[in-house]
Amino acid sequence: MKLIDASKRYYKGNTHAHTTRSDGVKSPEEVMRMFRDAGYDFLVLSDHWTPGPTREFEGMLVLTGAEYDFNFPEQVLHIVGVFPDEAAAQGFHHRMDYPEVIDHINRRGGAAILCHPAWSLNTPEMIKSVQGVCAAEVYNSISGSPWNAPRADSSVLLDVVAANGRCIPHLAADDCHFYTGEQLMSYVMLQADALTPEGVIAALKRGSFYASQGPQFIEAELTERELIVRTSPVNCCTFISNLVYVAGRCRTGEGMVENVYRLQPGERYIRCEIEDSEGRRAWLSPVRL
């Protein structure tokens, strides 16, 4: 089974960014230009409870999005909705609970994303209860130091969820607010059939993407016995599953471009994480075995 198909085109995007329309410090125009100048193919403006526009900005697709936040005694829950157009993002209000919001996103032809679960202090039980999301942020740039306590990386938490029966596809996003270094750091590489709102949303819903800060997954294939990954040059490649220890699951070396992992008895899911010489990482989503 092809997890990453080298013959298909990738689109680089950020699904989580804030502007002066909510609690961001830059205007929508400033944010769009920043990402466009950095070579992004698409951007979701996701201000809190405030859907942005769907438009083309100098060759970059800008999708309507919004972030919906819910508070609980010991944790919070944030959901980003990505919509096909502005009309689909109407009808949300603060009296709705999170299952209603997620259902509304999906019924309107959108995609729902679970945001920064580690920063939110989400429990595995909470994450497993959140039905209807197509992805979770394995890495959220602003959820780490120096902007927050060091909870940018949600990979271990999502591993606990996967080990207990639910594999959620991984993407990464900046969640820009201050634009003091958290921007242009973490993103999604998406294999959409077309660079349109419908094409991006369809790719999100079928899991045709990986998360990255720079390294590339060029091809990934899962057979009955092995997971084979071909990448840009990396210095570390780790295969992660529900088994707490597997000898040789972490490979190190300079400029590695191919690694093969033999599946082990008792493994119920598998994923792969790579790191380049600059310490930047990329994440392949967990796959149920």
Side-chain angles (χ1 to χ4, degrees):
M1 174 174 60
K2 293 275 189 182
L3 304 179
I4 299 293
D5 189 343
S7 68
K8 293 184 178 180
R9 176 176 175 176
Y10 275 109
Y11 296 100
K12 181 179 180 179
N14 181 40
T15 56
H16 196 168
H18 294 273
T19 77
T20 49
R21 300 186 76 218
S22 64
D23 54 351
V25 303
K26 289 189 177 293
S27 70
E29 290 72 21
E30 289 176 304
V31 175
M32 289 187 292
R33 180 160 299 283
M34 178 182 297
F35 280 89
R36 188 269 178 209
D37 289 350
Y40 280 64
D41 298 300
F42 69 93
L43 170 68
V44 180
L45 296 180
S46 57
D47 285 302
H48 292 276
W49 296 87
T50 308
T54 297
R55 58 172 295 190
E56 182 272 339
F57 182 79
E58 298 182 5
M60 181 181 70
L61 175 65
V62 180
L63 290 92
T64 294
E67 183 175 11
Y68 305 98
D69 47 278
F70 307 89
N71 296 319
F72 301 93
E74 296 176 347
Q75 60 188 306
V76 300
L77 184 74
H78 289 203
I79 301 292
V80 158
V82 183
F83 299 95
D85 52 45
E86 295 174 65
Q90 304 307 310
F92 292 82
H93 54 79
H94 288 274
R95 296 185 303 277
M96 300 171 75
D97 59 19
Y98 74 84
E100 289 180 286
V101 164
I102 295 171
D103 182 65
H104 205 53
I105 292 169
N106 287 312
R107 285 179 179 272
R108 295 296 189 91
I113 298 167
L114 175 64
C115 305
H116 43 64
W119 180 89
S120 300
L121 294 178
N122 291 146
T123 64
E125 293 74 19
M126 168 62 89
I127 296 171
K128 286 185 69 177
S129 77
V130 179
Q131 300 299 312
V133 295
C134 67
E137 291 175 350
V138 66
Y139 198 92
N140 177 286
S141 300
I142 206 168
S143 293
S145 177
W147 309 280
N148 277 288
R151 296 203 294 266
D153 188 343
S154 293
S155 60
V156 173
L157 177 57
L158 293 172
D159 277 334
V160 174
V161 175
N164 284 275
R166 186 169 181 208
C167 292
I168 305 176
H170 292 358
L171 56 71
D174 287 332
D175 193 4
C176 313
H177 284 73
F178 309 118
Y179 296 91
T180 56
E182 81 276 18
Q183 73 278 11
L184 309 175
M185 180 190 298
S186 309
Y187 51 88
V188 60
M189 294 296 288
L190 189 83
Q191 289 189 321
D193 293 332
L195 188 59
T196 62
E198 294 78 11
V200 169
I201 290 169
L204 286 171
K205 288 193 163 188
R206 67 174 178 261
S208 298
F209 54 82
Y210 68 87
S212 184
Q213 297 174 320
Q216 301 171 27
F217 283 101
I218 296 170
E219 190 169 28
E221 183 176 3
L222 181 65
T223 72
E224 290 185 1
R225 297 183 178 183
E226 296 174 327
L227 175 57
I228 306 153
V229 295
R230 298 180 180 88
T231 66
S232 59
V234 298
N235 286 17
C236 185
C237 177
T238 305
F239 297 91
I240 300 120
S241 72
N242 56 288
L243 299 183
V244 295
Y245 176 74
V246 175
R249 72 176 355 155
C250 185
R251 322 288 174 77
T252 58
E254 292 187 9
M256 296 183 297
V257 295
E258 180 172 318
N259 278 279
V260 180
Y261 176 77
R262 186 170 181 84
L263 300 176
Q264 301 297 305
E267 286 182 319
R268 297 190 296 274
Y269 82 93
I270 188 72
R271 71 176 181 91
C272 182
E273 187 172 318
I274 55 178
E275 184 175 317
D276 68 12
S277 60
E278 298 179 40
R280 301 177 302 176
R281 289 182 286 165
W283 301 261
L284 193 65
S285 293
V287 180
R288 180 167 298 285
L289 301 176

